[in-house]
Every structure is written in C-alpha cells, then in structure tokens.
Amino acid sequence: MTRLARLKDEAARDVEGRATLVQRIVDQLFSYGELGFQEVETSRYLVTLLRKEGFSVDTGVAGIPTAWVARWGRGRPVLALGSDIDAIPQASQVPGIACRMPLVEGAPGHGEGHNSGQAVNIAAALAVKRIMERERLPGTLVLWPGVAEEQLAGKPHLVRAGVFKGVDVALFSHVGTEFSTSWGLSYGSGLVSVLYAFQGVAAHSAGRPWAGRSALDAVELMDIGWNFRREHLPLKHRSHSVIVDGGDQPNVVPQTASTWYYLRELDYKGIVDLWAVADSVAQGAALMTGTTLLPTRVLGAAWPRHFNRPAAQAMAANIGKVGMPAWTPDDQAFARAIQRAAGQADSGLQTKVDSLDGPVDPARNLGGPSDDIGDVSWSVPTAVLYYPANVQGLPGHHWSSAMAMATPLAHKGSVAGAKAQAMTMLDLLLRPALVDSAWRYFRDVQTRTVKYQPLLRPDDRPPVELNRDILERYRPAMRRYYYDSDKYPSYLEQLGVEYPGLPDSSGACATRGGPSRRP
C-alpha cells in the first residue's frame, strides 16, 4: 500500500505536468463541435494523438466510421477507458463569453461538454503508461469513444461487436459540475429510439386530393394517438418525438413521412412493453389513413445504468484525495454570469467534493435522462467518474453549457478528473483483489437476477447517416474556427477572448475581434 500511495502521488504529479496537453485536447475538440456519427475531425485528431503515443488503434469499429479502439500493453487486468465525443445541435458558442454569441449561427457546438472527457482519459492513461513501463506492470489499457451518445446509438453496437469481451473493468468519464461517482442503479431511465416511417400515395393536393393517401396524416395521427394513450401509460415512462420527414411541399400529398420517438422506461421489460404500445399506435395510424407502416428502424437504445460498487468506492476515495480544483475569483464570477445568462440562480461553482452516491431508491426513481453507458455497465463492471468541468444549474443540452467548455474552468476540472482516473487505474493494476471484488459484485449482486438482453435487434445497424446533412451545411463555416494549437497557446487567445468575458452594465459582451472572428 505504501508503494501504491507513492505511485498515485507520482501519477497525480505527472497529470499536472500534462495540463497543457489536457487544455489543448479540450480546446481542439471544442472547436470541432461535431454531432453524432459525424465526429470525423474529432476522431482523426484523437487517433493520430494516440498512435503517436504508442497505442495501436483500430478504426471503423462496429461498422461506425468514427468509432475506434486504442490498445497498449499486455496481460491482465484489461482496463477500458471511455468518454463521449459528440456535440449538441444549434449550440455553437464563443467560449469564455457569458453572453449568447454563436461562432457560427445555427451550427452545432459542445453544449454539454463532451469535448473534455477524452482529455481526462488520455492524460490519465499516459501517466499510468509511464509507470507501467518503468515498473514492468502487466496490464492492458483500452481507450474508446462514445460515438453519437446524444442519439444513444453508439455503445450498444460496440457491446454487440465484442469490444468489451475480455475487459476486466470499464472506467468511464463524463463532464459534470460536481466531482463524484456512484454505484448501483442510477437515477433515470433506459430507452429505445425508434423511427416510424409511413408510405402513402402522392396526388395533387387541390386537383385530386381523393387520389392521394397522406403519409403525413399518418405521422400526425400517430402523434395525436400517442398523446391520448399517455394518460393510460405507467407514470414513470417518458416519451418524446420529432417529425423527421413531413413531406415536400403543400400542393403535393406527402407520399413519405416519418416520426422519431424516444421511448423511456425504468427497466428492460418496461421499455419493451412501451415499444409494443408505440408499434400498435403506429399501425392504427396507418389503418386510419390508408397508408403503409414501413419496417421500423431502431436508431439507438440504452439500458438503465448500474455501476459497480467496489470500483466506485475506490474511485470515490481517489476523488477525495484529489479534491476540487482551486477556483479563482474570475472562475466564480464567470460561472455566476453564465448562470444569470441562462436565467438560473447564480450560485457559482461547487467547492466541496461530493465523492460517492449510492443506488437510487426504485420507489423514488421517477425516470429521466438516459445514457448508453448503461449497456456497457451490464456487460462488464463499470464505474463512471463525473469531474467538475462545467457550471451547475444550467438547462442542459443548451448553448449556455458551452460557454465554459474551452476556458480555465474546464481545463482545471479535466486535470482534476484525470488525476482521479489515473489513481483508480493504479488501484486496479496493483490490487488484484479489487478486480476480483468488482466481478463478485457484478455476478452475485448486479446480474444475479437481471441478465442483459440487447434492445438492438439482430438486423439493426448503426444509423451512420444521422446528422450528415447538418454537418455538410455548417462544416465549411465551422472549419474557419478550428483551433490552431501550433499558432495559439489557447483557443481563447485565437478567438480574441479576454477571460472572463462578463457582460457590461448594458448586458452586452464583446471580444477583441481577432482574425479568426472576422466574417
């Protein structure tokens, strides 16, 4: 244990020495701002970096062009480090400015903070790799990205492709406002994401409307029918939809139309039952309109999350040792300005470690967010690190959540997270009993009565075309704002932002208007 403590201290110092690398990764990925399945520049950058650091990298994993798996080392234990990489629609935002200021109007951006997690994992892995090489420690490090997490469409395909076979423990990092981890069933829901498409008959909407059969009518009737059916569904379900295809133009009866549903419930059976109800409503809409319900597409899926107790306890102890970053008055002032800009209470940044949360009480779980890390958590013992790189109290999936994500606030939180991640990796490498206890919990507690069954059907394939049109539309303008780390020490300097960019007395913010901000 003395040796382990010494090596943990060394790893934390090593991570601190890589603070510039963390900052550059965070800033680079922020500047790309790519949506799910279109994380082309993001993946290219990360793969190049990992290969340069001695990892072997497989690309195009599980039929997903932007998915990759990087490996280094030999033997057991096998530790898999993952983090999401996709952005949010219409969340483009100049970082370091506490006013709404898109980099590219209408473009996507990192309105959650997925640009930071890979920096956490890579810095931790490189620090531990150095120790493993010198100490001749057996073990294999596996790094991988959460592709299209916002569509909940990547990780189930990685599970099905066998990425986690032979893995001893998965350590996942996710941006947060607190510094914590948890074990047991988490608050929130699982889900299945389904596209319902209808085929109708085209006709002149005014000249011969009786000759047509409107696929859009079927979509609208499905949505209406579903909203009536909600009254008679379990209270803990959640569902929401968007119309993907509503026809071409008003004077042509729409011959195609589709609607995309997220169907959320608390367990596998609840999800499957809810899915069956949605299928029946879609079939009824087709009957009412004389259209055809086409074969449904599963665009994504996520099991409810269940995290490993022994691994989370070890992680929580390391979080406590690292502690919260030392926020400056500028950091706190910036956080409060962001909160006010989003119409929230200006409570500022957390200053105390939350450490460890236990299982949610099933009777108090009202459902809520989903994450396809749930599928990984039912395949291998998994712990999730939430590191303090964003501002609490924001709406979520919103441009305000992008304001801090390429600033000193995000850089400090990511460095702190990397320290805790590296220390937990060393626990797993040097304490074989911890790996054994993680698997005992997984086998004897978590999966004793509940067994993982994929929500993906055998023929479901990754919907890699999602978001392609959006990135084709905005990428040329976004490319002008990609971070050039060879020329600028930080993205804020490239953009001409003086941190913190606070509103003046009139509520307006401004940048210096450097070359990269000129239209």
Side-chain angles (χ1 to χ4, degrees):
M1 295 302 292
T2 301
R3 178 194 183 203
L4 177 58
R6 174 176 56 80
L7 293 178
K8 284 185 179 183
D9 288 342
E10 178 184 338
R13 290 193 301 271
D14 188 296
V15 168
E16 188 66 40
R18 299 179 192 271
T20 297
L21 174 65
V22 170
Q23 170 254 310
R24 292 192 171 195
I25 296 173
V26 169
D27 288 2
Q28 195 72 58
L29 301 196
F30 182 94
S31 75
Y32 293 145
E34 297 170 304
L35 297 175
F37 290 117
Q38 309 307 319
E39 309 101 335
V40 177
E41 301 288 356
T42 299
S43 288
R44 181 185 295 119
Y45 170 82
L46 293 170
V47 166
T48 300
L49 174 60
L50 288 165
R51 284 176 172 160
K52 182 179 178 181
E53 295 291 346
F55 285 76
S56 63
V57 187
D58 296 325
T59 57
V61 174
I64 302 173
T66 55
W68 44 267
V69 176
R71 293 180 174 86
W72 178 88
R74 295 182 63 183
R76 311 295 286 269
V78 180
L79 307 182
L81 311 181
S83 194
D84 300 323
I85 59 173
D86 57 329
I88 299 291
Q90 300 190 49
S92 177
Q93 172 67 31
V94 176
I97 296 291
C99 294
R100 179 61 169 138
M101 187 181 293
L103 271 166
V104 176
E105 189 70 46
H110 277 289
E112 179 164 343
H114 287 175
N115 59 301
S116 57
Q118 289 292 332
V120 170
N121 290 350
I122 290 172
L126 294 180
V128 171
K129 175 176 176 283
R130 176 180 290 179
I131 291 173
M132 292 174 70
E133 288 172 324
R134 188 192 68 225
E135 302 286 321
R136 298 183 179 180
L137 298 178
T140 304
L141 308 183
V142 180
L143 276 68
W144 56 277
V147 169
E149 188 277 333
E150 300 300 346
Q151 286 73 46
L152 301 151
K155 300 183 191 75
H157 290 283
L158 299 184
V159 170
R160 187 169 68 179
V163 168
F164 302 98
K165 287 183 179 178
V167 168
D168 289 293
V169 177
L171 299 178
F172 195 74
S173 63
H174 195 284
V175 61
T177 61
E178 71 288 342
F179 203 1
S180 68
T181 187
S182 66
W183 67 273
L185 279 171
S186 293
Y187 164 76
S189 308
L191 67 70
V192 64
S193 165
V194 186
L195 182 71
Y196 291 96
F198 298 87
Q199 180 69 54
V201 178
H204 195 298
S205 298
R208 293 179 59 83
W210 50 85
R213 297 292 181 267
S214 174
L216 178 58
D217 287 352
V219 162
E220 292 182 310
L221 283 169
M222 180 181 179
D223 288 347
I224 291 168
W226 184 256
N227 285 325
F228 275 106
R229 187 64 183 267
R230 284 180 201 266
E231 181 182 354
H232 309 288
L233 293 173
L235 292 178
K236 295 179 181 179
H237 100 281
R238 296 194 183 197
S239 56
H240 19 273
S241 64
V242 295
I243 295 176
V244 177
D245 173 14
D248 298 306
Q249 58 191 56
N251 66 331
V252 179
V253 174
Q255 60 182 324
T256 62
S258 57
T259 182
W260 181 7
Y261 272 75
Y262 277 12
L263 304 165
R264 304 186 197 249
E265 251 286 4
L266 299 187
D267 56 27
Y268 174 82
K269 182 180 183 302
I271 296 167
V272 171
D273 289 347
L274 192 64
W275 187 0
V277 173
D279 284 353
S280 71
V281 173
Q283 291 161 0
L287 284 172
M288 285 189 288
T289 56
T291 60
T292 301
L293 174 63
L294 300 176
T296 57
R297 289 189 66 193
V298 172
L299 300 182
W303 262 63
R305 295 158 286 176
H306 190 126
F307 299 129
N308 189 267
R309 183 174 187 172
Q313 288 173 329
M315 182 176 283
N318 292 319
I319 290 170
K321 291 175 183 176
V322 174
M324 291 292 283
W327 306 123
T328 66
D330 279 348
D331 296 330
Q332 291 285 9
F334 184 55
R336 292 190 175 97
I338 292 174
Q339 290 163 338
R340 290 192 294 270
Q344 309 298 313
D346 57 349
S347 57
L349 298 168
Q350 290 196 30
T351 57
K352 294 182 179 180
V353 167
D354 290 333
S355 193
L356 183 65
D357 294 323
V360 64
D361 179 353
R364 297 172 65 88
N365 187 5
L366 301 179
S370 309
D371 192 320
D372 52 3
I373 191 62
D375 290 71
V376 179
S377 75
W378 287 95
S379 305
V380 63
T382 302
V384 174
L385 169 71
Y386 294 96
Y387 54 94
N390 212 329
V391 177
Q392 65 183 347
L394 303 180
H397 291 182
H398 189 257
W399 47 263
S400 60
S401 294
M403 289 176 166
M405 285 313 304
T407 71
L409 192 158
H411 304 149
K412 293 173 189 176
S414 298
V415 168
K419 291 177 182 179
Q421 191 82 305
M423 294 162 73
T424 306
M425 294 166 67
L426 288 169
D427 276 321
L428 294 164
L429 287 166
L430 291 168
R431 295 169 54 198
L434 177 58
V435 177
D436 292 341
S437 62
W439 275 97
R440 278 197 301 274
Y441 177 89
F442 183 79
R443 291 177 176 134
D444 299 342
V445 179
Q446 179 181 345
T447 63
R448 184 171 62 88
T449 59
V450 179
K451 305 299 180 184
Y452 176 71
Q453 303 175 68
L455 286 160
L456 293 179
R457 301 167 300 191
D459 293 334
D460 290 324
R461 294 292 176 263
V464 297
E465 78 285 357
L466 287 180
N467 300 313
R468 183 178 295 154
D469 291 347
I470 296 174
L471 266 296
E472 286 178 354
R473 185 187 321 149
Y474 289 109
R475 196 187 296 277
M478 295 168 65
R479 189 173 285 118
R480 294 164 46 220
Y481 299 107
Y482 288 173
Y483 175 40
D484 184 350
S485 61
D486 292 331
K487 190 173 180 181
Y488 298 96
S490 75
Y491 195 42
L492 293 184
E493 183 165 333
Q494 177 173 325
L495 296 176
V497 173
E498 292 184 1
Y499 177 82
L502 306 178
D504 59 24
S505 58
S506 69
C509 295
T511 69
R512 289 201 306 265
S516 295
R517 281 285 297 157
R518 291 175 183 164

